[in-house]
Amino acid sequence: MGNSRSFEDLVAEGAAVPTEGWDFSWFEGRATEARPSWGYARSAGDRLIWVNTVLDVQTGGGEVLDFALSRAAAQPPMMVAATEGWPPNVAKATELLRSRGVVVVAVAGDAPLPFADAAFDLVLSRHPVRADWPEIARVLRPGGTYFAQHVGPRSAFELVEHFLGPQPEGASGARDPERERAEAEAAGLETVGLRAERLRMEFNDVGAVVHFLRKVIWMVPDFTVEAYEPQLRSLHEQIEATGPFVAHSTRHLFDVRKPLR
């Protein structure tokens, strides 16, 4: 079973692929991840036609926002801004979103949002590293909405634990949807909807794993091919012997409103 290419070739390929942006097309045929039933990008696009001012927080390379805006092309918002903290992604998002009139602002992930109070009807985010609920509440106008897809607790932990060993039960607890709901409500927001799903992932070769861990850097924060060569080799041998490596991602969808007061 598995891939006929050598361990060295697969690892070298996974290590060479550029990682900027959130385009995952390189994984075609090499890894799969089931998508949440709610269709975040499509749903975000459907909301854009009803608002005037929009902020996309931690936009990555702008791909998800670009798709959402394409769905609202007949009636786009008057003003759209996006933030991003990683310089290669800032450049990619600026280039991609320029034709749509989106202002992309370089903002470190833990920095305050550089916008006025009550500036936005809608704040979007797909897979933020951390939701800064007080800042989200501050920049939303009364009656405005935060609509976002978050990474849930212990996402892809089968893969994480292959590299790091067993993790404590509380690991990634900050991503627990109920904890995040409590933090949102402590910031003065109301939870209109919260949905969560656990989704199957499959990695067909070790090169896909290398690229994934280079791209999604918080999974194994100190990951390098050299540091984790034994774990990579054992994973390669496992895939060759028994087929795709299976893990499970977790996602939750927030629909949060700032009260009219």
Side-chain angles (χ1 to χ4, degrees), residues 13-258:
E13 184 180 7
V17 183
T19 57
E20 66 268 16
W22 288 117
D23 178 5
F24 284 76
S25 60
W26 181 86
F27 288 101
E28 187 75 30
R30 308 186 68 155
T32 60
E33 179 181 351
R35 296 301 179 193
S37 60
W38 50 72
Y40 169 75
R42 184 181 66 250
S43 299
D46 293 345
R47 289 173 179 245
L48 292 177
I49 64 174
W50 303 105
V51 296
N52 289 320
T53 55
V54 179
L55 172 64
D56 189 38
V57 177
Q58 298 178 33
T59 195
E63 298 90 350
V64 176
L65 179 59
D66 182 62
F67 175 84
L69 286 167
S70 74
R71 290 185 60 86
Q75 193 174 335
M78 292 174 58
M79 192 277 283
V80 183
T83 67
E84 174 55 34
W86 192 43
N89 275 351
V90 173
K92 186 168 187 179
T94 299
E95 180 179 0
L96 178 64
L97 298 170
R98 181 185 293 116
S99 65
R100 297 195 185 277
V102 178
V103 178
V104 179
V105 183
V107 180
D110 56 354
L113 296 171
F115 304 104
D117 295 357
F120 297 101
D121 301 318
L122 175 65
V123 175
L124 300 171
S125 195
R126 180 180 177 274
H127 302 178
V129 175
R130 182 182 67 87
D132 188 336
W133 296 108
E135 278 294 279
I136 292 165
R138 182 184 65 79
V139 301
L140 276 174
R141 68 163 178 80
T145 295
Y146 174 72
F147 185 72
Q149 180 175 295
H150 289 197
V151 176
R154 300 183 72 80
S155 190
F157 254 47
E158 298 94 336
L159 189 63
V160 171
E161 292 190 330
H162 177 84
F163 287 88
L164 300 180
Q167 299 294 292
E169 190 60 36
S172 79
R175 297 185 182 277
D176 179 80
E178 290 303 325
R179 178 180 295 187
E180 290 196 309
R181 182 210 295 264
E183 292 171 351
E185 293 174 355
L189 300 170
E190 297 175 346
T191 304
V192 176
L194 175 56
R195 299 169 62 185
E197 293 184 2
R198 186 171 184 262
L199 304 149
R200 184 180 176 93
M201 308 171 72
E202 292 187 1
F203 295 90
N204 297 333
D205 67 67
V206 72
V209 171
V210 169
H211 183 46
F212 180 78
L213 293 178
R214 291 176 57 238
K215 195 175 185 74
V216 189
I217 57 175
W218 54 86
M219 289 291 174
V220 181
D222 62 344
F223 177 79
T224 64
V225 168
E226 296 74 22
Y228 287 95
E229 195 271 347
Q231 292 91 335
L232 288 168
R233 190 171 291 276
S234 70
L235 188 144
H236 171 70
E237 292 169 355
Q238 177 181 332
I239 292 172
E240 288 290 294
T242 64
F245 183 91
V246 176
H248 295 84
S249 64
T250 57
R251 302 284 183 263
H252 49 276
L253 183 73
F254 265 111
D255 188 356
V256 174
R257 179 176 174 270
K258 184 173 180 176

